[in-house]
Amino acid sequence: GRIATLTTLAKNTQFQGDFSASQTLYERILAERRELLGPDDPRLAVDWNNLGATAIRRDRYADAEHAYRQASRLMALDPQAPESRQAWLQLGRASALIGLGRFDDAQATGLHALDIAERTLHPEHPIVANICSVLARLYRYTGRLDAAAAMAERARAIASETSNKLE
């Protein structure tokens, strides 16, 4: 019950834009659940993911990269977890790596996310658009403007496809 209450509180503070407070709460939740379950329980992946997302919003890229790496490691230990979930974690990690200026690692991680999403979800899935946008940003930063334009165009095509379906 206590962890559920803390989680609701953390989500509310995040929703209100107080990422510092939500990070503190997510750290407490992780610590408590780690006490209960041990450090290698796959159920901690969600806590690491929440920490990663909050750290990104605060431009704390090293914290975010570490959190997404832990989430990814733990998720991989769960035979029940669909592989598609890794696409989100790898995308978060790629964003953090861009923030750290680790562009080669960011590219490898982003392309890994893209491969997982295309294979396990669908080439037109909205997360594919997100991944393509992040790769477009990476390619712009590293001066590969044709590759950046191609990725941005692909993201735009998926986004317009998705909004057409909603109409």
Side-chain angles (χ1 to χ4, degrees):
R2 216 175 106 68
I3 287 176
T5 307
L6 286 173
T7 303
T8 304
L9 199 57
K11 289 206 163 80
N12 288 343
T13 57
Q14 193 164 358
F15 184 68
Q16 290 158 6
D18 189 347
F19 299 114
S20 171
S22 63
Q23 183 167 358
T24 304
L25 287 163
Y26 284 134
E27 281 165 358
R28 265 178 64 192
I29 293 162
L30 175 64
E32 292 201 13
R33 223 189 314 240
R34 198 197 249 146
E35 278 295 301
L36 287 172
L37 306 172
D40 293 324
D41 191 290
R43 286 170 289 181
L44 298 178
V46 68
D47 300 319
W48 281 114
N49 177 65
N50 290 336
L51 270 175
T54 306
I56 286 263
R57 302 290 288 271
R58 300 183 68 206
D59 301 329
R60 305 266 296 265
Y61 299 117
D63 291 346
E65 193 276 330
H66 174 73
Y68 283 121
R69 196 156 23 92
Q70 291 298 325
S72 179
R73 176 181 75 83
L74 293 170
M75 187 76 77
L77 297 175
D78 179 4
Q80 304 296 298
E83 190 193 359
S84 59
R85 290 218 191 127
Q86 286 285 356
W88 276 268
L89 300 176
Q90 298 297 328
L91 172 61
R93 185 160 177 255
S95 294
L97 288 164
I98 292 172
L100 291 170
R102 288 171 54 189
F103 297 136
D104 289 351
D105 289 346
Q107 179 179 323
T109 305
L111 291 172
H112 184 44
L114 188 59
D115 170 63
I116 294 169
E118 288 173 334
R119 216 165 14 82
T120 63
L121 294 163
H122 190 275
E124 307 293 304
H125 191 283
I127 191 167
V128 174
N130 290 349
I131 297 167
C132 289
S133 296
V134 166
L135 285 166
R137 195 168 87 223
L138 171 65
Y139 292 145
R140 270 200 309 278
Y141 288 166
T142 52
R144 286 170 287 175
L145 301 184
D146 290 348
M151 280 292 174
E153 175 49 40
R154 187 167 169 204
R156 198 193 57 69
I158 294 168
S160 68
E161 189 58 36
T162 307
S163 64
N164 288 344
K165 282 192 190 116
L166 298 176
E167 278 161 23

